[in-house]
């Protein structure tokens, strides 16, 4: 039976990863991820985790080393944030093209410059097109659950793709929250040993990472696109099974009081809980407000997003990253694009907020609703605004 | 006496593994000494080997999808990370072996890259992997420039050589800097074994690879790899050019075991003048007599330094 314990989220994530019986981890320290690396090292040092912990000299080498280990057939894990993720960027599409089921935590942190160690999503957004399955956690329990589910999804023979689990830096990673830690028996039952279909072993020599010119390259890209699109079915199955085993359900798009909502707000990551309080406050005032939370970023859940906003008049999309000189925040662009062909679609507003750790309160969310509701002509729909910026 | 060449099948198995672990049909240039070195390396290592290769000539010529020249497990990821990938392979295999998920045979993990992939862009990853003490061998196949991208200079390019980014011109004499001393940098990492090799000396080459293979820990091999295409020298002279590099002291053959230096018996007692080595190469053709003298002086100094190290830092039983 699972115990309910109070743990810092990074520690809980490291414990969850250890329950997955990883063979190898290659992690380079970076705030606010480092506690994951430290706790994994502690467990290895105390003999509680039977794995090779490789103290790499950079995030580039962290990703390189986990690619090597995964290629050798090991269950391999890494974690990073911000500049570290950007340093890994070169290797992310290679890991997915090689169909290596690597799992990685991203303790989301703003990208320099200026240097900032606090939370936003500007690190993960540029990784959108690297072919990784991308999941967002809202609280400690989700961070733990998704970290375990990630291996099961990644290693499914119909998927064989790397997975990143996004955990908001500090705002989530450094919280001490109650969490139900699954037992080793429960995880063993849920997550079978990794059975790779080709490994770097002399018993059956294979060539990994061959180079390809124009004659095959397009086909390889198409195969990767199909693989990640098809992974959605497996993700849904895994979440369904998780719900049965642990009683906690996961959906690509979560919703809160959204069914009859005339105005919806969309969040990703830890902001969901704050937004939920704002919805309660607005509902108390008689406003038909609702919340949808995008958990599955890649593969993008088109059908679920369409269904979630079908009956709403106005949709507020929040973004924690900027697409400089672009059409709006990255999430906003995706949502707008996904809804373009719909005959009835809501007016879509975009607020860019919470950059570099800027605090966002219930009051801010209420303010966004009030501003959007006052816009009776929808004159500021389809545009974006930096929320709370001093000008 | 029996002719060794005519009776190759009789003699060769005693000297060298007959297995071809790098198959023919690869796309290397004619007269490429580097691919010959890779072939010899594979023979010396045997089949229980996993290779992590950097992007570069050897990767491109051997792995054009859907073909491969490799009969050993081989992985290529990117340009600057062969050492890091190899370190991950080593860690992965170690964990799997310990847990009984794979058989317990000894597998040598090898990282390989060119001079650019080792001395420039891959320098940090190599330093990290060597410092961490992985049980892996790393081989730098040094052809003294970025040959795969078209003969651009690297920190392995020798003084005075003309390359496409450090060309000889009206006011320039090509490369303006001295070649980075990678073997000494690796010795400074306190790795158990560092050696220089050249495929023009196959027996010395094989012995050193076998030695590196036997080391349970990190080892570094610096392989001088003649590139007729990039050096603008006739392709049939690849072997003799390698010998000239050694005979002139431009590329001395030595090994360093736990800090103890040993110069290869193949090294001549008296060095030939470097102009013998420079003359057949288009990349040095523009050099004046004074410039060659300057380089000659440096080669002699470096050679003396090496001889001093070999004298004072020799092994206890020598």
């Amino acid at each position: 039976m699972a115990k309910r314990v109070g743990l810092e989220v990074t520690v809980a994530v490291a414990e969850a990863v250890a329950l997955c019986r990883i063979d190898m981890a290659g992690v380079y320290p970076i705030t606010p991820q480092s506690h994951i690396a430290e706790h994994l090292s502690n467990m290895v040092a105390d003999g509680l985790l039977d794995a090779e912990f490789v103290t790499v000299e950079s995030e580039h080498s962290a990703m390189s080393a986990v690619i090597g280990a995964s290629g050798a057939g090991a269950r391999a894990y890494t974690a990073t944030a911000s500049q570290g993720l950007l340093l890994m960027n070169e290797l992310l599409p290679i890991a997915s093209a090689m169909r290596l089921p690597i799992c990685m935590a991203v303790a989301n942190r703003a990208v320099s410059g200026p240097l900032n160690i606090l939370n936003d999503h500007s690190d993960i957004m540029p990784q959108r097109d690297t072919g990784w399955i991308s999941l967002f956690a809202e609280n400690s329990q989700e961070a733990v659950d998704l970290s375990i589910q990630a291996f099961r999804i990644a290693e499914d023979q119909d998927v064989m793709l790397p997975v990143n689990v996004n955990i908001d830096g500090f705002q989530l990673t450094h919280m001490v929250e109650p969490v139900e830690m699954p037992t080793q028996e429960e995880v063993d039952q849920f997550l079978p040993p990794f059975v790779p279909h080709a490994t770097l072993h002399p018993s059956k020599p294979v060539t990994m990472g061959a180079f390809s010119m124009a004659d095959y390259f397009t086909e390889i890209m198409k195969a990767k696109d199909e693989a990640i699109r098809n992974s959605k079915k497996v993700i849904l199955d895994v979440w369904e099974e998780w719900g049965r085993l642990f009683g906690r359900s996961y959906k690509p798009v979560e919703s809160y009081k959204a069914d009859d909502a005339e105005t919806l707000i969309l969040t990703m990551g830890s902001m969901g809980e704050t937004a939920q309080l704002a919805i309660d406050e607005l509902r108390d005032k008689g406003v038909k407000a609702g919340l949808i939370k995008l958990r599955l970023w890649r593969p993008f859940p088109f059908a679920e997003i369409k269904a979630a906003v079908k009956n709403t008049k106005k949709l507020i999309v929040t973004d924690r990253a900027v697409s400089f000189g672009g059409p709006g925040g990255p999430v906003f662009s995706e949502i707008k694009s996904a809804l373009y062909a719909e005959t009835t679609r809501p007016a879509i507003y975009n607020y860019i907020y919470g950059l570099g750790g800027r605090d966002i309160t219930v009051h801010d969310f209420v303010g966004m609703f009030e501003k959007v509701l006052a816009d009776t002509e929808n004159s500021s729909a389809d545009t974006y605004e930096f929320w709370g910026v001093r000008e | 006496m029996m002719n060794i060449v005519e009776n190759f099948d009789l003699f060769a198995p005693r000297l060298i593994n007959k297995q071809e672990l790098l198959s023919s049909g690869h796309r290397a240039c004619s007269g490429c000494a580097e691919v010959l070195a890779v072939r010899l390396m594979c023979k010396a290592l045997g089949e229980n080997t996993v290779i992590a290769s950097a992007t570069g000539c050897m990767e491109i010529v051997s792995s054009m999808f859907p073909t491969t020249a490799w009969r050993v497990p081989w992985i290529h990821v990117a340009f600057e990370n062969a050492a890091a990938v190899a370190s991950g392979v080593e860690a992965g295999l170690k964990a799997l072996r310990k847990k009984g998920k794979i058989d317990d045979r000894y597998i040598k993990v090898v990282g390989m890259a060119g001079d650019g992939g080792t001395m420039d862009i891959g320098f940090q990853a190599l330093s990290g992997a060597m410092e961490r003490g992985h049980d892996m061998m790393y081989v730098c196949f040094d052809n003294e420039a970025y040959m795969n991208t078209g003969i651009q200079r690297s920190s392995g390019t020798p003084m005075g050589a003309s390359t496409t980014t450090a060309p000889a011109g009206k006011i320039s004499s090509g490369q303006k800097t001295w070649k980075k001393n990678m073997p000494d940098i690796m010795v400074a990492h306190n790795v158990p074994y560092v050696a220089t090799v050249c495929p023009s000396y196959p027996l010395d080459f094989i012995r050193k690879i076998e030695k590196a293979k036997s080391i349970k820990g990190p080892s570094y091999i610096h392989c001088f790899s003649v590139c007729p295409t990039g050096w603008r020298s006739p392709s049939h002279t690849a072997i003799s050019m390698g010998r000239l590099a050694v005979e002139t002291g431009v590329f001395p053959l030595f090994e360093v075991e736990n800090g103890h230096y040993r110069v290869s018996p193949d090294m001549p007692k008296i060095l030939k003048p470097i102009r013998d080595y420079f003359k057949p190469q288009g990349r040095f053709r523009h050099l004046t007599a004074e410039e060659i003298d300057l380089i000659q002086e440096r080669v002699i100094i470096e050679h003396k330094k090496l001889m001093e190290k070999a004298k004072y830092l020799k092994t206890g039983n020598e």
Side-chain angles (χ1 to χ4, degrees), chain A residues 50-72:
Chain A
D50 187 10
E52 287 294 311
F53 187 88
V54 181
T55 52
V56 279
E57 83 300 329
S58 72
E59 287 90 353
H60 196 280
S61 285
M63 185 47 65
S64 302
V66 295
I67 287 173
S70 185

Side-chain angles (χ1 to χ4, degrees), chain A residues 13-24:
Chain A
V13 166
E15 297 266 348
V17 168
L19 288 171
C20 295
R21 300 187 188 275
I22 56 165
D23 299 307
M24 180 272 186

Side-chain angles (χ1 to χ4, degrees), chain A residues 71-72 197-210, chain B residues 49-51 68 70-76:
Chain A
H197 46 68
T199 63
L200 295 167
H201 194 272
S203 58
K204 193 184 175 214
V206 294
T207 289
M208 292 188 183
Chain B
T49 303
V50 178
I51 295 176
T68 182
W70 297 96
R71 293 197 178 107
V72 290
W74 181 92
I75 181 170
H76 158 254

Side-chain angles (χ1 to χ4, degrees), chain A residues 28-310:
Chain A
Y28 187 76
I30 185 168
T31 303
Q33 170 280 118
S34 305
H35 290 181
I36 298 177
E38 289 169 10
H39 196 66
L40 285 172
S41 312
N42 283 341
M43 283 187 284
V44 172
D46 289 335
L48 300 170
L49 170 59
D50 187 10
E52 287 294 311
F53 187 88
V54 181
T55 52
V56 279
E57 83 300 329
S58 72
E59 287 90 353
H60 196 280
S61 285
M63 185 47 65
S64 302
V66 295
I67 287 173
S70 185
R75 182 173 282 165
Y77 182 77
T78 188
T80 190
S82 184
Q83 308 306 116
L85 185 59
L86 266 59
L87 192 55
M88 285 181 181
N89 169 272
E90 183 204 14
L91 304 164
L92 301 183
I94 302 175
S96 58
M98 292 171 86
R99 307 295 295 274
L100 296 172
I102 293 158
C103 291
M104 167 166 73
V106 181
N108 302 103
R109 163 184 151 180
V111 162
S112 291
L115 178 70
N116 176 298
I117 57 163
L118 303 174
N119 173 224
D120 69 28
H121 294 163
S122 56
D123 53 2
I124 191 63
M125 287 302 155
Q127 319 309 325
R128 185 190 65 181
D129 298 337
T130 55
W132 282 57
I133 292 168
S134 196
L135 311 168
F136 278 74
E138 182 176 320
N139 54 41
S140 179
Q141 192 66 56
E142 292 189 7
V144 164
D145 292 355
L146 291 174
S147 295
I148 299 168
Q149 294 160 9
F151 286 102
R152 175 71 188 276
I153 294 165
E155 293 170 6
D156 190 291
Q157 291 295 309
D158 292 334
V159 179
M160 291 302 287
L161 283 170
V163 178
N164 59 59
V165 176
N166 292 273
I167 307 162
D168 283 330
F170 289 115
Q171 283 169 355
L172 185 50
T173 56
H174 284 51
M175 293 300 113
V176 176
E177 289 193 344
V179 57
E180 268 183 32
M181 289 305 294
T183 63
Q184 186 66 65
E185 292 69 33
E186 285 171 330
V187 175
D188 287 346
Q189 190 198 340
F190 172 76
L191 181 67
F194 172 37
V195 185
H197 46 68
T199 63
L200 295 167
H201 194 272
S203 58
K204 193 184 175 214
V206 294
T207 289
M208 292 188 183
F211 98 103
S212 160
M213 295 300 275
D215 49 357
Y216 283 97
F217 194 81
T218 307
E219 286 68 28
I220 295 166
M221 293 303 103
K222 175 86 186 332
K224 186 158 112 178
D225 187 45
E226 277 181 8
I228 194 164
R229 283 174 196 281
N230 293 341
S231 73
K232 196 174 138 196
K233 187 189 170 301
V234 173
I235 295 167
L236 295 177
D237 288 348
V238 167
W239 282 344
E240 196 271 329
E241 188 182 327
W242 186 270
R244 263 190 291 118
L245 288 172
F246 298 98
R248 292 186 291 275
S249 80
Y250 285 84
K251 295 195 202 93
V253 180
E254 303 284 353
S255 60
Y256 182 73
K257 298 187 178 173
D259 288 348
D260 64 338
E262 289 174 357
T263 307
L264 279 175
I265 192 163
L266 181 145
T267 62
M268 284 169 90
S270 64
M271 280 299 170
E273 295 198 336
T274 312
Q276 222 162 291
L277 296 172
I279 299 301
D280 289 344
E281 197 176 310
L282 288 159
R283 285 273 172 176
D284 287 346
K285 288 182 194 164
V287 179
K288 283 197 165 177
L291 167 66
I292 53 173
K293 304 180 241 183
L294 189 54
R295 175 188 312 292
L296 182 62
W297 175 231
R298 278 295 182 277
F300 190 83
F302 293 98
E304 288 82 353
I305 279 289
K306 286 172 188 172
V309 305
K310 200 172 56 186

